[in-house]
Amino acid sequence: MRLSPDEAIFWQYGAIKLNATIAFTWGVMLLLTICARVMTHKGILEMIVTATEMQIAEVGLKPAKKYMPFLGTIFLFIATANLCTVIPGYEPPTGSLSTTAALALCVFVAVPLFGIHSLGFWGYLKSYAEPTVIMLPFNIIGDLSRTLALAIRLFGNMMSGTMIIAILLAISPFFFPVLMTILGLLTGTVQAYIFSILASVFIAAATQK
Amino acid sequence: MLIDWFTVAAQALNFLILVWLMKRFLYKPIVNAIEEREGKIASQLENAAKQQAEAQTLRNDYQEKNSEIENQRAMLMDRAQVEADRMKQKLFEEARQASETLYAKRTEAMQNEARELEVALTLRTRQEVFSLARKLLADLASTTLEEQICRVFIHRLETMDEKEKTTFAEALKNKGNSTVVRSAFHLPQAQCEELRSTLQSLFSPTLQVLFEISPRLINGIEITTDGYKFAWTIAEYLSSWERCLGELLQASTRTPGLDSGKGNP
């Protein structure tokens, strides 16, 4: 039993390799792009975009349009990647710690970028020394730890769900894995929401004084 | 090892590519479409608000004009009513005056006509009466009307009461013992002498008597002196006939149409 789709390698040339994580990620990207291209004028996508914009605005990020491509894509990618678990043979890229770490790193980089864009370079740096300079190391540790937490939380949830389904398939009748898959869909959607909302909150904290 | 750093880098790159793809194919078109629609809606709302404001303005103008027209109409109606009342009163007054004038003219005309008829009838009657009397006297009594009148006058003088005779005698004395006998016709010499002798025998033998013809007398004879007059004419008989004739004419002129129209303006 594989713990991560990273271990399923289809092609390798030195350090460069094409594993299941990357392959399924491309698949999800292709699916999303096709849907976006084909369904641009359909109401359902407009509803998703409008709802995303409202959520971002409710967190306090204004104008929401500025942050929507980044935060909306995080939600759509994770949610699509998790919902595709209903496809037989599919392994969610989010079940790979590499993917979740990559996403967490993107958030980790995006937070200071958006912060500097809003507050200026020194303004953003000053926020680390607030409320006192003594808090500087703790703020830095907080940034690192929350990035780590983001990555591990998503990975843990998705990996455990996949593992549980795999184990149940091995030991129990077909009915229980189906239930767990349905539960996994709900968990996956909730995790996508949690990841994108946390990213929004971190960015909001960095962009507002 | 759970983390493969090449995969991490690849996934980060994949994610960034996906962000670009989503921005390019999903967010941008949809946001643009929404903005365009919102802009259109805002523009339509703005136009609607503008049109509503214009409509409100027009409505206010219309209401203002309407109330102004209503006031003018009421004022004109009042004025027209007053004018109509005044005109009606004036026309009534004119009609009443015209009616009264017409009635008065008609009445006057009828009265004139009646008078003329009366005069004509009187004259004609008088002529007929004289003609008849003359003829009758000539046929039955072999005398003339004038002779008979003179005879009647002399008889009256002779039968005059004493008081009247005294009064006349005094008047003659005051007048210088002379008197004038007027008659409507020429008295023959015999009648003149008879009258003179009668008067002289009654009042004074020296009484001077003058004779005159006076057309105003209607077949009669009168003696006047110093404001005293003694006369006999057939006018007294004719006046009774004229009264009867006048009553008859009045009765004939009092027509129903004239009577009913008299009271109306």
Side-chain angles (χ1 to χ4, degrees), chain B residues 6-25:
Chain B
F6 172 76
T7 309
V8 169
Q11 287 296 76
L13 184 66
N14 283 339
F15 177 71
L16 291 176
I17 291 167
L18 184 62
V19 168
W20 180 82
L21 286 172
M22 288 296 102
K23 189 177 178 180
R24 170 76 179 76
F25 294 116

Side-chain angles (χ1 to χ4, degrees), chain B residues 68-82:
Chain B
E68 197 176 320
I69 288 167
E70 194 65 29
N71 289 338
Q72 281 182 355
R73 192 184 71 84
M75 202 166 71
L76 286 172
M77 279 297 288
D78 288 348
R79 202 182 290 168
Q81 187 67 41
V82 169

